[in-house]
Amino acid sequence: MKSFLSVFSIFLLFSPVLALWPRPQKLTTGSTPLRLAPHFSIQFSDKKQNVPKDLQDAVRRTAQHLKDDKLQALVVDRGASSSAEVRSAKTLSSLTLAFNDASSSSKKVKSLSEDATAGIGNQDESYSLQVSEDGTAVLTANTALGLFRGLTTFGQLWYELDGETYTLQAPISIEDSPKYPYRGLMLDTSRNYFPVPDIKRTLDAMSWVKVNHLHWHVVDSQSFPLVVPGFEELSNNGAYSSDQVYTGKDVKDIVTYAAARGIDVLVEIDTPGHTSVIAKSHPEHIACPEASPWSQFANEPPAGQLRLASPATVNFTSGLIKSMTSMFPSPLFSTGGDEINANCYEKDDQTQSDLNASGQTLDEALASFVGATHEVVRGAGKTPVVWQEIPLEHNVPVGNDTIVMVWISSQHVGAVAEKGLRLIHAASDYFYLDCGGGGWVGNNINGNSWCDPFKTWQKAYSFDPLNGTTPDQEHLVLGGQQLIWTEQTGPSNLDSIVWPRAAASAELFWSGPGGDVKSALPRLHDVAYRFIERGVRAIPLQPRWCALRPGACDIDA
């Protein structure tokens, strides 16, 4: 019987009727219909326990989704053939939430937000969910964060038919926890500005598929929208306009909103490259500002890089980073380090003078620059994060605590692992959401995006996080993320560029590799349609005809 249940549960896991995303580590289901009672409620087992407010708020949001989601089953008749079964089904009156280790009512429970920002390796997202066929349901976890992940799963179990909220597959038993601790989405808010509500809507969507890190690439060469205490001139002179900025209040709002949804905000200030806009307020710190032709001085316009060999610029940058660390509670902080243009420095008299005075090569000066900025990051109690060029192309001797994002190619994972550094997958050949949109550089008729072709959800889903590592290096892989660079993305198309494609890596790094795209597609259709019910404008992956007929539009069908 045990083996039968195992096989049966795997079959049902990929059924369009039970479309959980990401797929749980362990799942068994039955075939008994069950519907939510009109008075259905979510309650805590210990009425006297001091339940964190953010977890109570999450419970209320879940209850509201259960009322507002009007998602019908993605089958041809949208569930109509099950109408009689649903009407006569037993009802579930409540979902009970309980902490596994709550030994007494007075025991203090950490908030969901505290759990979310505890740092990699310090988060417990595991949970157990049991829904019986006789109308009882219990969700247990060790932490508020675990209960929140379980609430997310519970909300995916149900469909609507004739005013009833139902499942056809009780009893349901789930034991779940993530395979990798880092599951992220990177958003660039410099090329184009995104209002706070757009970021919040993105955070909501991330939480619905258990993504737990927003990598916020907040500033770049094109604009500096972040209002940094003590450095307000950067945004005053570098933002697109005075109303296209993120104030300290905005940042606190976004960070708080994210944490209450199980998401940590990893901010990045890319240095020393990608900093041209700083010249608008501090020209003394920028080499080759807006130099022409830009293609000789930068990977994209406008050109301009921090004068990394200047002691004054190092001090300026260190001060800027120190102030930024106070704005973001995350244990992680990225100093960037990608696409440094050597020609820019070779043509900059000030940099050449500083190098000669110090007797350093460019890479040696870069190592000193990175060392100084990372000292500030660590001094704030945070772990530095860099792009792959810092340890690989420039051989900067970063500390062993440093986390490296591998972006140029997935083929470079092994080189980072050989240095004994922890890594996050962000490879352009799998995870860049902006690829394939055509060339954005003007006066270039036949131009295409540099990372063509378009990266489908299937491409991301097929990735093996351990590819390129040896067994003794596997612990260095922290997870991965999908990324949206926004040269051609703004508020008008943010949802459609990101969703539901970014859900692919959400499952990959929660559930682990080995998922089959054929079996996953019906569940991902479900994700997209449920997102739409909740106000996120996810794009169709196929014609609706295909979504209602799983497998009918496969290339081998």
Side-chain angles (χ1 to χ4, degrees):
M1 177 62 73
K2 185 175 181 180
S3 61
F4 169 78
L5 281 176
S6 177
V7 173
F8 188 53
S9 66
I10 291 173
F11 169 77
L12 290 176
L13 176 61
F14 300 126
S15 164
V17 179
L18 190 60
L20 302 182
W21 195 284
R23 67 184 191 274
Q25 301 296 347
K26 294 181 181 179
L27 168 71
T28 58
T29 64
S31 56
T32 301
L34 187 67
R35 57 195 172 96
L36 296 186
H39 57 279
F40 173 82
S41 65
I42 303 175
Q43 59 193 19
F44 290 87
S45 61
D46 189 341
K47 306 294 184 182
K48 298 180 181 180
Q49 191 166 43
N50 184 19
V51 177
K53 181 182 182 301
D54 53 10
L55 181 57
Q56 295 179 43
D57 291 341
V59 167
R60 283 189 283 270
R61 291 197 304 273
T62 301
Q64 198 63 49
H65 287 320
L66 291 170
K67 290 180 181 180
D68 295 344
D69 285 357
K70 303 299 181 184
L71 180 62
Q72 295 182 321
L74 294 181
V75 293
V76 174
D77 68 358
R78 307 313 301 271
S81 58
S82 302
S83 180
E85 292 180 86
V86 171
R87 285 196 305 269
S88 62
K90 289 184 177 181
T91 60
L92 178 66
S93 61
S94 65
L95 169 65
T96 300
L97 276 58
F99 290 98
N100 289 327
D101 58 351
S103 57
S104 69
S105 299
S106 60
K107 183 171 182 178
K108 180 172 174 15
V109 177
K110 286 185 177 180
S111 70
L112 166 56
S113 299
E114 288 176 300
D115 288 341
T117 57
I120 291 175
N122 298 315
Q123 297 169 319
D124 185 349
E125 301 177 83
S126 63
Y127 67 92
S128 172
L129 176 61
Q130 310 296 324
V131 180
S132 73
E133 57 189 339
D134 62 3
T136 61
V138 178
L139 170 62
T140 58
N142 297 322
T143 65
L145 182 57
L147 288 177
F148 177 69
R149 299 301 183 213
L151 284 169
T152 301
T153 299
F154 185 80
Q156 295 178 335
L157 296 174
W158 309 95
Y159 297 88
E160 191 273 339
L161 181 66
D162 299 331
E164 299 286 356
T165 304
Y166 75 98
T167 180
L168 297 177
Q169 297 183 265
I172 300 167
S173 175
I174 295 173
E175 301 289 336
D176 201 12
S177 61
K179 179 71 172 177
Y180 293 99
Y182 185 101
R183 307 174 305 282
L185 173 69
M186 192 223 73
L187 176 63
D188 159 26
T189 58
S190 173
R191 271 73 179 200
N192 283 304
Y193 176 82
F194 295 84
V196 172
D198 290 308
I199 296 176
K200 285 185 172 181
R201 187 178 65 257
T202 302
L203 289 165
D204 281 330
M206 291 164 62
S207 74
W208 299 334
V209 288
K210 302 183 176 69
V211 174
N212 69 347
H213 283 83
L214 172 66
H215 173 189
W216 191 0
H217 188 91
V218 62
V219 299
D220 208 290
S221 283
Q222 289 81 7
S223 76
F224 201 106
L226 183 66
V227 180
V228 182
F231 295 83
E232 291 84 356
E233 71 277 7
L234 295 176
S235 54
N236 288 341
N237 294 286
Y240 285 131
S241 68
S242 60
D243 61 350
Q244 291 189 320
V245 297
Y246 303 105
T247 65
K249 182 179 179 181
D250 291 332
V251 169
K252 184 176 181 180
D253 188 20
I254 290 169
V255 167
T256 301
Y257 193 91
R261 285 151 184 78
I263 298 168
D264 192 18
V265 179
L266 159 61
V267 72
E268 176 189 353
I269 176 167
D270 205 351
T271 61
H274 292 270
T275 48
S276 174
V277 71
I278 292 176
K280 299 297 183 183
S281 54
H282 291 281
E284 71 275 16
H285 293 312
I286 300 298
C288 60
E290 300 189 20
S292 179
W294 63 264
S295 59
Q296 295 182 17
F297 298 93
N299 280 51
E300 65 179 57
Q305 303 179 148
L306 286 165
R307 285 177 167 144
L308 78 175
S310 163
T313 301
V314 173
N315 289 337
F316 167 83
T317 308
S318 296
L320 174 60
I321 289 174
K322 183 176 181 180
S323 186
M324 285 182 64
T325 61
S326 68
M327 301 176 70
F328 296 88
S330 173
L332 304 177
F333 189 98
S334 176
T335 59
D338 65 320
E339 296 182 334
I340 300 170
N341 187 287
N343 186 56
C344 171
Y345 290 129
E346 290 172 3
K347 298 291 196 303
D348 183 58
D349 292 340
Q350 180 63 52
T351 298
Q352 292 304 308
S353 176
D354 290 332
L355 289 173
N356 289 332
S358 66
Q360 291 181 310
T361 65
L362 184 60
D363 278 353
E364 287 171 342
L366 175 61
S368 297
F369 178 90
V370 171
T373 56
H374 283 193
E375 182 178 352
V376 174
V377 172
R378 293 188 181 96
K382 301 181 186 297
T383 298
V385 181
V386 296
W387 295 111
Q388 68 175 73
E389 290 99 317
I390 292 297
L392 295 188
E393 291 188 14
H394 304 288
N395 202 30
V396 172
V398 296
N400 289 335
D401 61 331
T402 305
I403 296 171
V404 180
M405 290 191 170
V406 180
W407 72 273
I408 296 175
S409 170
S410 57
Q411 298 300 313
H412 299 148
V413 167
V416 174
E418 286 177 7
K419 289 181 175 288
L421 296 171
R422 294 179 296 168
L423 63 95
I424 291 170
H425 292 294
S428 61
D429 49 335
Y430 282 88
F431 299 122
Y432 271 31
L433 296 167
D434 52 302
C435 296
W440 61 270
V441 177
N443 196 27
N444 188 24
I445 294 171
N446 296 316
N448 285 308
S449 61
W450 72 271
C451 54
D452 272 358
F454 182 90
K455 300 301 183 288
T456 67
W457 75 268
Q458 296 180 76
K459 179 70 173 179
Y461 195 77
S462 71
F463 186 72
D464 181 358
L466 299 180
N467 196 25
T469 65
T470 60
D472 62 338
Q473 296 171 341
E474 292 178 1
H475 69 283
L476 298 173
V477 179
L478 299 178
Q481 64 182 11
Q482 288 186 265
L483 309 90
I484 178 61
W485 300 102
T486 60
E487 288 89 348
Q488 294 178 296
T489 301
S492 61
N493 67 338
L494 175 61
D495 290 6
S496 60
I497 290 291
V498 174
W499 304 111
R501 277 193 295 160
S505 63
E507 175 158 297
L508 171 67
F509 294 111
W510 176 282
S511 308
D516 175 69
V517 294
K518 180 180 178 68
S519 303
L521 180 55
R523 293 185 296 113
L524 192 54
H525 278 309
D526 196 278
V527 170
Y529 282 101
R530 196 176 293 276
F531 273 26
I532 292 169
E533 289 290 325
R534 298 180 182 181
V536 174
R537 296 186 174 183
I539 61 169
L541 297 173
Q542 290 180 319
R544 186 180 292 241
W545 188 92
C546 304
L548 300 180
R549 295 166 175 81
C553 297
D554 289 351
I555 195 169
D556 55 352

